[in-house]
Amino acid sequence: MIKEEIRILGIDDGPFTKNDKEVIVIGVIFRGGEFLDGVLRTYVTVDGLDATEKLSKMINSSKHKQQLKVIMLDGITLGGFNIVDIKKLYSEVKIPIIVINRKPPDLNSIRIALEKNFDDFEKRWKMILNAGKINQIKLEKFSIYYQNIGIDNEEAEEIILISTRHAQIPEPLRVAHIIASGVVKGESEGHA
Amino acid sequence: MIKEEIRILGIDDGPFTKNDKEVIVIGVIFRGGEFLDGVLRTYVTVDGLDATEKLSKMINSSKHKQQLKVIMLDGITLGGFNIVDIKKLYSEVKIPIIVINRKPPDLNSIRIALEKNFDDFEKRWKMILNAGKINQIKLEKFSIYYQNIGIDNEEAEEIILISTRHAQIPEPLRVAHIIASGVVKGESEGHA
């Protein structure tokens, strides 16, 4: 049984153009689906390979860390193809991770894009496979696809249900998206 | 009777040092005290005189403007002594404004600080007087002091009551503070 006010860290990146070297990444600390408790901020390199390290530093240096029970990511890439190795991140922060996708990720297209654009595509592809099996949870009107590490499916699904309120995505990710896009563009974009 | 989900724009500035030329200002669009709907962002000059103009532009260019029913400010200064002339702001955006203070503002100290630090202190002092009478609303465990323009005391107090949930300050201002400080410092500071 998960507490309604479980502390969740939801992470999303801001919008960027191919001319930007870095992109802002916002972490919001949420009590369940209920309210905002804190905001973290870091930057990652567009199409770089520093996302795992930057998230690990941001989380491990936070004064909120002891209260955090789970981390949510909106997909496993930040700033283009800067892939989060969630196995490595989990080993460094020791907090369970749930990766949320609104559609089943099209792994074949991702592999083709990586091969086309990156000399180190095998390394990046391995990080994507590291994220593990994609599960599906059916809600009343839509499905959410997720990957999980450090937490079993039953608990992960309970947390997704508790925190999904106003959109087809859990509140910590909806709010992280609004903040990151609002700060970069001057006005936030629709919904995550 | 005010709707529980009335759209409120809560505005607060980020932390800054005397070496900073500009400071970030965050506007959060909230449904009552309930949840975040959007984020606006602008910058104002530290100790400058552009706060009124910058807020007016930020609000008038927002796609959310038609839905906004009231604006909340956390005091009438941003970025040090960059004073918001709320009479002028109201005439430019045509949305009622409530200025929130947790303590009764010490006008005498403000006047002395302005006289000491600004050649144009009379202009700034007049902007402060423009904010009008300071009212007090007693909640169960604490008081909130407020000034209001474009809205009567009864309605202003109803909005303050609807939106004050998790702290001694309405949610739109609590959340604007957390976002602005988190984005600037990498981690948000306590409560507003």
Side-chain angles (χ1 to χ4, degrees):
Chain A
M1 188 65 192
I2 306 280
K3 277 193 204 164
E4 283 284 326
E5 293 210 342
I6 178 178
R7 299 295 205 292
I8 302 168
L9 176 67
I11 294 171
D12 201 9
D13 55 356
F16 62 95
T17 68
K18 287 291 170 190
N19 295 324
D20 293 329
K21 282 190 177 168
E22 287 192 313
V23 58
I24 198 168
V25 173
I26 294 289
V28 302
I29 296 148
F30 235 79
R31 306 262 195 116
E34 197 56 35
F35 68 95
L36 183 73
D37 224 20
V39 165
L40 309 180
R41 182 267 300 143
T42 188
Y43 297 92
V44 302
T45 313
V46 171
D47 285 341
L49 270 173
D50 58 354
T52 312
E53 183 197 337
K54 290 296 188 68
L55 292 191
S56 166
K57 273 190 191 164
M58 178 178 87
I59 295 160
N60 281 330
S61 66
S62 168
K63 62 177 188 276
H64 291 275
K65 194 190 169 188
Q66 296 308 315
Q67 281 81 50
L68 294 177
K69 294 290 177 271
V70 66
I71 295 165
M72 279 187 181
L73 295 173
D74 189 0
I76 61 164
T77 58
L78 295 170
F81 281 108
N82 199 332
I83 300 156
V84 182
D85 186 331
I86 67 164
K87 262 193 191 167
K88 194 171 177 212
L89 183 61
Y90 177 63
S91 79
E92 287 177 3
V93 301
K94 309 273 190 318
I95 299 170
I97 300 168
I98 305 173
V99 179
I100 300 288
N101 290 285
R102 269 151 302 173
K103 295 177 185 173
D106 180 355
L107 290 180
N108 204 35
S109 298
I110 293 170
R111 198 191 153 101
I112 289 167
L114 285 177
E115 282 188 4
K116 196 176 155 191
N117 295 298
F118 295 96
D119 290 338
D120 60 358
F121 79 92
E122 281 188 21
K123 187 176 180 179
R124 292 181 197 242
W125 180 242
K126 204 180 157 196
M127 291 163 86
I128 285 174
L129 295 182
N130 259 354
K133 186 170 175 289
I134 296 157
N135 303 296
Q136 180 181 10
I137 169 174
K138 288 182 186 172
L139 284 78
E140 208 180 324
K141 293 181 178 171
F142 55 93
S143 281
I144 286 175
Y145 301 84
Y146 70 94
Q147 293 157 297
N148 46 319
I149 184 162
I151 185 170
D152 64 29
N153 290 17
E154 196 187 342
E155 278 194 311
E157 295 189 6
E158 210 180 325
I159 292 168
I160 291 169
L161 286 174
I162 284 173
S163 61
T164 303
R165 297 270 178 102
H166 305 295
Q168 297 190 8
I169 190 173
E171 283 300 285
L173 294 179
R174 186 182 70 84
V175 168
H177 174 82
I178 287 175
I179 295 172
S181 66
V183 167
V184 172
K185 298 213 153 183
E187 172 142 20
S188 51
E189 298 159 332
H191 288 306
Chain B
M1 187 66 190
I2 305 281
K3 275 193 204 164
E4 283 284 326
E5 293 210 343
I6 177 178
R7 300 293 206 293
I8 303 168
L9 176 67
I11 295 171
D12 201 9
D13 56 356
F16 62 95
T17 68
K18 286 291 169 190
N19 294 324
D20 293 329
K21 282 190 179 169
E22 287 194 318
V23 58
I24 197 168
V25 173
I26 294 289
V28 302
I29 296 147
F30 236 78
R31 307 263 194 114
E34 196 56 35
F35 68 93
L36 182 74
D37 225 20
V39 165
L40 309 180
R41 180 267 301 141
T42 189
Y43 296 92
V44 301
T45 313
V46 171
D47 286 340
L49 270 173
D50 58 355
T52 311
E53 183 198 338
K54 291 296 189 68
L55 292 191
S56 167
K57 273 190 190 165
M58 179 177 87
I59 295 160
N60 280 329
S61 66
S62 168
K63 62 175 189 275
H64 290 276
K65 194 192 170 189
Q66 296 308 317
Q67 281 81 49
L68 293 178
K69 295 289 176 272
V70 64
I71 295 165
M72 279 188 182
L73 295 173
D74 189 0
I76 60 163
T77 59
L78 295 170
F81 281 107
N82 200 332
I83 300 157
V84 183
D85 186 330
I86 68 164
K87 264 194 190 166
K88 194 172 178 212
L89 183 60
Y90 177 63
S91 78
E92 289 177 1
V93 301
K94 309 275 190 317
I95 299 169
I97 300 168
I98 306 173
V99 179
I100 301 287
N101 290 283
R102 271 151 300 173
K103 295 176 185 173
D106 180 355
L107 290 181
N108 205 37
S109 299
I110 293 170
R111 197 190 155 100
I112 290 167
L114 285 177
E115 282 189 3
K116 196 176 156 190
N117 294 299
F118 295 95
D119 290 338
D120 61 357
F121 78 92
E122 281 188 21
K123 187 176 181 179
R124 292 181 197 243
W125 180 242
K126 203 180 156 196
M127 292 163 86
I128 284 174
L129 295 182
N130 260 353
K133 185 170 175 288
I134 296 158
N135 302 296
Q136 180 180 9
I137 168 174
K138 287 182 186 171
L139 283 79
E140 208 180 325
K141 292 180 178 170
F142 56 92
S143 281
I144 286 177
Y145 300 85
Y146 70 95
Q147 292 156 297
N148 45 320
I149 184 161
I151 185 170
D152 63 29
N153 290 16
E154 196 188 339
E155 278 196 310
E157 293 188 8
E158 210 181 322
I159 292 169
I160 291 169
L161 286 174
I162 284 173
S163 62
T164 303
R165 298 271 178 102
H166 304 297
Q168 298 190 7
I169 191 171
E171 283 300 285
L173 294 179
R174 186 183 71 85
V175 167
H177 175 82
I178 287 175
I179 295 172
S181 66
V183 167
V184 172
K185 297 212 153 182
E187 171 143 21
S188 52
E189 298 159 331
H191 289 304

